[in-house]
Amino acid sequence: QLNVIATEGQACSKFGIHSQLKVVKELYDAKELAFVSNIGSLVQPTTPVEYKRRNVSLCASLFSHLDQTIAAGTLECQTPGVKPRGVGGRLADVLG
């Protein structure tokens, strides 16, 4: 079961939240939680022509779900593998 959420100005007009995540739906309805949709990893702004010509810096393994999951956690999609530190660890270093 999904709790349906209607949206405006997004890539899709509605999406769903698992029925057991009622608190998430409540926070969204109260305008205390937001979802960011249709995002992807880029090293720099890139047009389709630049991508096809490969004359810009691109993320490593751009179409690999695993690599893009790692990139989301490290904010360094251009560095292959798991070497980059996570964004949380880097924030702790700066704030600590």
Side-chain angles (χ1 to χ4, degrees):
Q1 284 283 41
L2 292 177
N3 291 315
V4 176
I5 290 182
T7 66
E8 294 180 17
Q10 297 289 329
C12 57
S13 61
K14 61 184 174 178
F15 61 98
I17 299 172
H18 194 281
S19 61
Q20 291 186 354
L21 298 174
K22 292 177 185 172
V23 68
V24 172
K25 173 88 164 80
E26 291 168 4
L27 290 170
Y28 180 83
D29 290 343
K31 298 186 190 276
E32 294 181 18
L33 180 132
F35 293 95
V36 180
S37 65
N38 200 25
I39 64 168
S41 300
L42 290 176
V43 177
Q44 63 191 59
T46 304
T47 67
V49 171
E50 291 170 327
Y51 171 77
K52 288 177 186 174
R53 291 183 181 161
R54 300 282 199 249
N55 60 355
V56 292
S57 295
L58 296 173
C59 298
S61 302
L62 191 56
F63 296 102
S64 161
H65 181 77
L66 175 62
D67 289 304
Q68 293 308 299
T69 300
I70 293 168
T74 64
L75 301 181
E76 288 190 36
C77 69
Q78 68 273 27
T79 306
V82 294
K83 284 187 178 182
R85 296 201 48 214
V87 67
R90 292 192 308 225
L91 280 170
D93 288 345
V94 170
L95 299 174

